[in-house]
Amino acid sequence: MERVFQGRSLIIRPGLIVGPYDFTDRFSYWINRIAIGGEVLAPGRRDKRIQFIDVRDLAEWIIRMVESKANGIYNATGPETGLTMEEFLNTCKETIGNKVDLVWVEEKFLLGHEVDGWTDMPLWIPDSMNMPGFLTVNIQKAMDAGLNFRPLAKTIRDTLDWEASRTVTERKAGLDPDKEKAVLKDWNEKGL
């Protein structure tokens, strides 16, 4: 498309889009799970990088880009600095204010118990899948063009407020609670 419309095309490549009214449950799984409290299975490495963008930040930026007649190709995800799974889950804990014990379970153990990345554990892609750039996209060009981000705690809080209007049966993604308990029990019994 850029070859055909040289200098007249705006191509936005967003990452995972999250926030209120996101029915995919890839982001809200964690918010709902932290809200329940107790022992929460946390997948793989604590320092595993993740990326996503609040739909409101993305929409506001795209509108500004269109109004200014910007062109080019932009990766649009967030946040502006590297975010790890541990930082994300701790921000969920702090924002929601629930008593939670994050239990970090090694990738090999999870895969051995048929816990799938991304579907059972949203935002987690096992290292063994060899997808090193998937959640570590360079967004500097978009930030230089004005892409900015609301605080993560606001996205979490607003998503939690919206989630309160949904029933448990409407939620699709994430690890089955009984399976989570079984995996955690096995992990704890093995003393790993």
Side-chain angles (χ1 to χ4, degrees):
M1 183 154 99
E2 194 176 35
R3 272 183 272 167
V4 174
F5 297 103
Q6 286 184 356
R8 297 179 294 139
S9 61
L10 176 62
I11 301 169
I12 307 295
R13 298 189 297 212
L16 178 64
I17 302 170
V18 304
Y21 304 99
D22 173 15
F23 292 95
T24 67
D25 299 313
R26 294 172 295 192
F27 177 80
S28 60
Y29 165 78
W30 292 108
I31 294 166
N32 289 320
R33 184 59 195 90
I34 297 291
I36 292 168
E39 275 194 335
V40 174
L41 192 159
R45 293 187 291 113
R46 296 169 186 254
D47 65 345
K48 183 82 171 175
R49 291 265 316 271
I50 60 172
Q51 287 181 308
F52 47 78
I53 188 165
D54 188 304
V55 64
R56 298 164 295 183
D57 297 333
L58 179 62
E60 289 167 6
W61 178 71
I62 290 174
I63 289 169
R64 287 194 315 270
M65 294 293 281
V66 168
E67 288 175 344
S68 69
K69 298 184 180 359
N71 63 71
I73 300 172
Y74 297 86
N75 295 324
T77 190
E80 63 266 82
T81 59
L83 178 68
T84 66
M85 189 64 145
E86 182 176 37
E87 291 166 333
F88 168 63
L89 294 178
N90 283 333
T91 304
C92 286
K93 281 174 48 174
E94 293 162 12
T95 303
I96 295 168
N98 216 357
K99 193 161 178 95
V100 169
D101 180 23
L102 296 175
V103 180
W104 291 92
V105 178
E106 293 174 358
E107 175 180 313
K108 187 175 179 179
F109 189 87
L110 292 174
L111 296 175
H113 283 72
E114 298 180 1
V115 175
D116 294 325
W118 202 258
T119 52
D120 288 334
M121 297 270 95
L123 297 177
W124 176 60
I125 298 175
D127 292 334
S128 61
M129 289 182 72
N130 196 25
M131 298 176 73
F134 190 71
L135 292 174
T136 57
V137 175
N138 184 330
I139 59 169
Q140 190 60 53
K141 183 178 176 184
M143 289 193 310
D144 291 346
L147 178 62
N148 52 49
F149 310 93
R150 68 195 66 226
L152 176 55
K154 175 129 180 70
T155 300
I156 292 167
R157 202 170 19 262
D158 292 349
T159 303
L160 181 63
D161 290 346
W162 171 71
E163 282 291 324
S165 70
R166 298 176 73 203
T167 65
V168 173
T169 57
E170 290 177 302
R171 298 177 186 142
K172 302 175 222 68
L175 192 59
D176 175 77
D178 292 332
K179 187 171 183 177
E180 179 187 25
K181 286 177 188 165
V183 171
L184 285 172
K185 182 176 185 282
D186 196 23
W187 176 257
N188 290 330
E189 284 175 356
K190 290 193 170 40
L192 299 171

